[in-house]
Amino acid sequence: MARSVSSEPLVVGRVIGDVLDSFTQTMKMTVSYNNKQVFNGHEFFPSAVAAKPKAEILGGDLRSFFTLVMTDPDVPGPSDPYLREHLHWIVTDIPGTTDATFGREVISYETPKPNIGIHRFVFVLFKQKRRQTVSAPSSRDHFSTRVFAAENDLGNPVAAVYFNAQRETAARRR
């Protein structure tokens, strides 16, 4: 089975497997914190991701709508993530060619605060079949991106990206 080159970092980082099934990226999405773009597997300090990121959809049109999901699949720690996944953010009804600020925030942004080990923070973009059809999950804990997508008839992801973060010591903040 051939894999697309763009999904390879998601396979290596175990995002495909732990969070998502294999998919073909059909849209381009950029996520950035303070003008620093998120690339698969790059590390950010928790202090650098405290504020809501800018998530832009490059492509589509204003009649297409998207849902953005951000989760941490490594809770409480990557060696035993028995609380997998923790939900950090959901924005729905984002028009194509715009960013998440044009969408409807269903679950407000929660700042990543990993305690144990290096955590992955995953952004997944889904194309909606129509507007205002996505419902909020009942809890941030024990969230499943796969189940959420199935319950809301979102189909396969159209784009995904992730970054790593770990607890910041006082020395690392300087």
Side-chain angles (χ1 to χ4, degrees):
M1 184 162 120
R3 287 192 179 109
S4 66
V5 175
S6 63
S7 72
E8 197 62 33
L10 297 173
V11 172
V12 172
R14 295 182 345 272
V15 170
I16 291 179
D18 289 350
V19 179
L20 303 170
D21 294 324
S22 191
F23 73 98
T24 301
Q25 182 170 315
T26 57
M27 295 291 299
K28 184 153 173 52
M29 166 182 67
T30 62
V31 177
S32 54
Y33 288 93
N34 299 317
N35 296 319
K36 290 185 179 160
Q37 188 172 339
V38 172
F39 292 102
N40 287 320
H42 287 209
E43 185 171 354
F44 279 83
F45 292 128
S47 58
V49 296
K52 197 182 299 183
K54 182 173 186 177
E56 293 180 275
I57 300 165
L58 309 171
D61 58 51
L62 293 172
R63 292 181 311 270
S64 302
F65 295 95
F66 297 87
T67 293
L68 178 69
V69 174
M70 177 188 178
T71 69
D72 175 356
D74 299 317
V75 178
S79 61
D80 185 18
Y82 62 88
L83 295 175
R84 172 178 296 163
E85 300 165 51
H86 182 79
L87 179 61
H88 280 268
W89 196 31
I90 294 180
V91 183
T92 67
D93 298 331
I94 307 167
T97 74
T98 68
D99 64 60
T101 61
F102 290 89
R104 183 172 63 97
E105 193 173 63
V106 174
I107 298 292
S108 62
Y109 181 76
E110 182 180 277
T111 302
K113 292 179 182 161
N115 282 323
I116 305 163
I118 299 170
H119 289 236
R120 297 163 294 166
F121 293 90
V122 182
F123 294 91
V124 185
L125 187 68
F126 295 95
K127 185 173 183 181
Q128 295 172 216
K129 291 185 171 52
R130 59 201 165 282
R131 261 186 111 167
Q132 297 178 341
T133 56
V134 177
S135 56
S138 58
S139 171
R140 289 182 186 260
D141 296 318
H142 299 289
F143 180 78
S144 168
T145 301
R146 288 181 182 100
V147 170
F148 175 77
E151 288 175 350
N152 288 283
D153 197 23
L154 294 172
N156 288 328
V158 295
V161 67
Y162 79 100
F163 69 89
N164 295 322
Q166 59 185 308
R167 186 175 181 167
E168 217 168 334
T169 62
R172 291 180 73 199
R173 276 189 226 121
R174 284 188 209 135

